[in-house]
Amino acid sequence: MSQSPTPEDQPSTWVKIARADALQGPRPVIPVTAFGQALVLFRDEEGELGLIGRHCPHRGADLCYGRHENNGLRCPFHGWHFDRNGQCTEQPAEPEDSTMYKAIRLPSYTVVERDGDILAWNGEGTPPAIATASATA
């Protein structure tokens, strides 16, 4: 029986996951499958990219259908908000003094835009610089 690859099984490398023009339009949010995981790629209001787990850890709702707001995505089911690093920043149904949200985090990956492509880093630590075509010629 075949098993899904785990991040440990995959080499540490930059991987093209989308074209930058896929995030054009009024709602820059798209589903992506990379590194054996269902992820969601988005561009926040500051123009920064986020690549985080696609499903809310609370009830599994698909964040691709969430609200794109406050530099992140808000779950369409109970309204949990996640920033571009996968950190939960708000849980509307919790008491005001609750800090439970601080312990909730989705998988996230470093993403960059280069020459019209969006690349994601699959590896530990600080990703290496991306060689440009002119640097390798």
Side-chain angles (χ1 to χ4, degrees):
M1 179 184 272
S2 174
Q3 293 183 357
S4 296
T6 63
E8 297 82 26
D9 296 334
Q10 299 176 16
S12 295
T13 186
W14 285 103
V15 175
K16 177 182 169 181
I17 58 167
R19 293 281 305 154
D21 57 11
L23 294 176
Q24 296 297 316
R27 192 168 188 285
V29 179
I30 61 170
V32 174
T33 300
F35 316 123
Q37 297 181 53
L39 304 168
V40 58
L41 174 67
F42 63 98
R43 189 180 304 277
D44 68 18
E45 291 91 339
E46 294 176 354
E48 298 293 324
L49 294 168
L51 180 64
I52 63 175
R54 186 170 168 178
H55 299 283
C56 180
H58 181 222
R59 296 286 183 173
D62 189 338
L63 293 174
C64 284
Y65 298 106
R67 286 195 315 251
H68 179 253
E69 64 181 39
N70 298 332
N71 287 326
L73 298 174
R74 187 172 299 280
C75 176
F77 197 41
H78 284 114
W80 290 15
H81 185 268
F82 297 90
D83 68 14
R84 65 180 166 252
N85 297 311
Q87 179 63 54
C88 183
T89 61
E90 185 182 350
Q91 292 176 295
E94 287 296 306
E96 272 189 51
D97 61 347
S98 174
T99 59
M100 185 171 84
Y101 69 92
K102 293 179 181 180
I104 300 168
R105 186 177 188 89
L106 291 168
S108 68
Y109 293 89
T110 300
V111 284
V112 297
E113 186 174 343
R114 291 288 188 275
D115 301 322
D117 291 327
I118 297 176
L119 308 169
W121 169 251
N122 179 37
E124 297 293 322
T126 304
I130 299 170
T132 60
S134 60
T136 58

